Amino acid sequence: MSSPAPLRETAGTVGRSLARALQRVTASPLGAYQSAVVRIGVSVTCLLFLLREWPHRHELYGPDGPWSWGMARRLISNNDAFTALMWSDSTIWFETVYVLTLVSAALLTVGWRTRATSVLFMAGVLSLQNRSIFMGDGGDNVIHLMALYLVLTRCARVWSLDARRQADEAARPTGDGRPARDVTGVVLWAVLGCVLVPASFLGGFGGTWWLPTLLWLLWLGNGAWWALGRYAPGHELRALFDVLANLAHNAALLVIMAEVCLIYATAGWYKIQGSRWQDGTAIYYPLKLDYFAPWPGLSGLVASSALAVMVLTYATVIVQVAFPFTLFNRRVKNVLLVLMIGEHAGIAVLLGLPFFSMAMIAADAVFLPTVFLLWLGRRVSLGRQRLSSRTAGRVRLPGQRRAGADDEEATRSSDSTGHTLVG
């Protein structure tokens, strides 16, 4: 009879691998830089879109639109979608919701009180898009989904005002092990609670059950998190909350990745079934439509080349179908990621769909390699410091030392080792 020692050794190896994997997904949030780029990209896209449509906001989502408030109310009573714009049909309320969505998008971009602003951003996006469902396109659908997922992520660990504030607090210990008083956070939490309570008990969330459940869990969880951090910073419950937050973040990041793969896979396989994609002429037709030709000369130049049309058509299908299968090979994945980002940039220029392209690029950013994002962060930080140094140099007195020279030299040194990053 053979010895069971090899079996025990194999079982031990598998057990250690599972333990390491569990430790990794619970000890810290993965993809901190990727989630930060997704946060910035999605919020900037929504912010710029709402600013561009400011003169037309009443026709898109407000009282002057073809999809009237009464029609929207009848539809929502059937599909149980959430929109705060159904709470009142007054113009003042519409303006309030629109402006709050704008402000929350701006605050989410810079990462100020990200947990709260991500909830406000999600509520604003759902309110506007569910109010007039026929006004959206593929880019709006992506923003819709990403706004939901970002609520569960810890997307402000880097490149945010929250990260800077936490670093400042860590550099100024209070002496008793407790964090500094956070009056702004407490006031914001109380104000949001004053909105959540009546909205929940007065039917403000319509027929949906998951949204109020999620909001209550977030509200109560953040209150408990603050209380434990303030009065029992070393308690085991605080560590448990941290583990749960990491699990939620990592699960949401995995869902974002799966969502992007699903988008490309379904788009690619549907294209394969179309005769125009099969014969390599599909790209030609939108290039000849005036509606999708912001640069008629450029569109005409591309459409006039049969070879270019065929290559772009087949390349689009190949890249979209192949991308989900390349995730197991990092180098091939990075090459296709560059091609897809270039494809969306081309769509933005040739077809005049900048916000759709920005939304897709923001979603694609979840697959960007960390090394590239670290390099990008260093370049942005160094460029910002050089700009501030030049500005200070123009106004300094003769013989005065250039402001920030020591900091710039220190940043160069730290950048060479890769240990310092300024968001």
Side-chain angles (χ1 to χ4, degrees):
M1 182 178 295
S2 61
S3 173
L7 295 177
R8 288 197 297 268
E9 183 178 352
T10 302
T13 302
V14 173
R16 287 191 294 272
S17 300
L18 291 176
R20 286 194 297 268
L22 183 61
Q23 172 69 17
R24 187 178 183 186
V25 299
T26 57
S28 62
L30 303 177
Y33 292 94
Q34 287 81 356
S35 59
V37 173
V38 173
R39 181 200 85 228
I40 295 170
V42 170
S43 56
V44 165
T45 301
C46 183
L47 175 64
L48 294 179
F49 175 78
L50 294 179
L51 288 175
R52 190 195 71 171
E53 299 300 337
W54 177 268
H56 315 291
R57 62 192 185 280
H58 288 180
E59 290 77 13
L60 285 175
Y61 308 112
D64 299 335
W67 192 250
S68 65
W69 190 84
M71 296 169 66
R73 189 175 185 84
R74 286 197 297 271
L75 177 64
I76 289 173
S77 64
N78 294 325
N79 62 15
D80 293 332
F82 163 76
T83 170
L85 291 177
M86 290 296 100
W87 295 357
S88 173
D89 60 348
S90 69
T91 304
I92 296 178
W93 177 242
F94 166 76
E95 299 287 1
T96 302
V97 173
Y98 197 95
V99 171
L100 283 177
T101 307
L102 271 171
V103 173
S104 64
L107 294 177
L108 187 61
T109 300
V110 299
W112 184 84
R113 306 290 172 174
T114 311
R115 185 67 71 184
T117 52
S118 64
V119 173
L120 290 175
F121 178 73
M122 176 194 68
V125 168
L126 295 181
S127 297
L128 294 177
Q129 292 188 1
N130 290 337
R131 166 64 176 83
S132 301
I133 60 174
F134 299 109
M135 294 298 178
D137 56 16
D140 293 320
N141 292 335
V142 172
I143 293 176
H144 189 119
L145 294 171
M146 295 301 141
L148 293 172
Y149 301 147
L150 284 175
V151 171
L152 298 175
T153 63
R154 308 181 79 172
C155 55
R157 305 284 287 188
V158 296
W159 297 344
S160 67
L161 296 180
D162 287 348
R164 179 174 297 181
R165 186 184 71 252
Q166 292 173 4
D168 293 340
E169 292 176 355
R172 297 192 304 268
T174 57
D176 56 358
R178 297 180 180 180
R181 290 184 178 274
D182 186 12
V183 179
T184 304
V186 173
V187 172
L188 185 60
W189 182 82
V191 171
L192 293 178
C194 293
V195 177
L196 180 60
V197 172
S200 300
F201 291 100
L202 297 179
F205 295 105
T208 181
W209 62 269
W210 64 267
L211 183 59
T213 302
L214 174 64
L215 295 179
W216 275 105
L217 286 175
L218 290 172
W219 190 71
L220 294 175
N222 278 275
W225 174 274
W226 175 86
L228 289 172
R230 182 63 186 168
Y231 300 105
H235 199 276
E236 294 180 354
L237 280 178
R238 178 62 184 255
L240 176 61
F241 273 59
D242 198 35
V243 168
L244 293 177
N246 292 334
L247 283 173
H249 167 90
N250 294 329
L253 204 63
L254 180 62
V255 172
I256 292 175
M257 295 179 180
E259 190 72 49
V260 174
C261 291
L262 183 62
I263 290 173
Y264 284 119
T266 54
W269 286 105
Y270 271 115
K271 286 181 174 67
I272 288 177
Q273 302 175 41
S275 59
R276 295 294 176 263
W277 291 96
Q278 293 174 7
D279 60 27
T281 61
I283 297 294
Y284 173 82
Y285 298 98
L287 292 174
K288 302 301 290 185
L289 295 175
D290 294 338
Y291 185 78
F292 292 108
W295 313 99
L298 182 59
S299 300
L301 179 63
V302 176
S304 64
S305 174
L307 179 61
V309 170
M310 183 185 67
V311 170
L312 290 175
T313 301
Y314 286 141
T316 299
V317 176
I318 292 172
V319 169
Q320 291 183 353
V321 173
F323 178 74
F325 301 100
T326 65
L327 299 181
F328 303 100
N329 189 303
R330 182 177 302 177
R331 293 182 178 178
V332 178
K333 182 263 295 183
N334 291 337
V335 171
L336 287 188
L337 191 60
V338 172
L339 293 178
M340 286 194 304
I341 293 176
E343 172 192 337
H344 291 305
I347 291 174
V349 175
L350 289 176
L351 302 182
L353 298 172
F355 297 108
F356 166 77
S357 298
M358 290 176 63
M360 288 306 304
I361 292 174
D364 293 342
V366 72
F367 293 107
L368 288 175
T370 304
V371 174
F372 169 74
L373 294 177
L374 290 172
W375 173 86
L376 182 63
R378 288 193 293 267
R379 294 304 96 193
V380 173
S381 175
L382 186 58
R384 185 181 62 183
Q385 291 178 2
R386 286 177 176 174
L387 180 62
S388 61
S389 298
R390 291 176 183 175
T391 303
R394 295 192 187 100
V395 298
R396 71 179 186 273
L397 298 175
Q400 181 181 359
R401 180 175 175 82
R402 182 167 59 90
D406 294 336
D407 294 338
E408 184 177 349
E409 182 63 29
T411 302
R412 287 199 186 101
S413 301
S414 60
D415 283 346
S416 64
T417 61
H419 293 307
T420 299
L421 261 181
V422 179

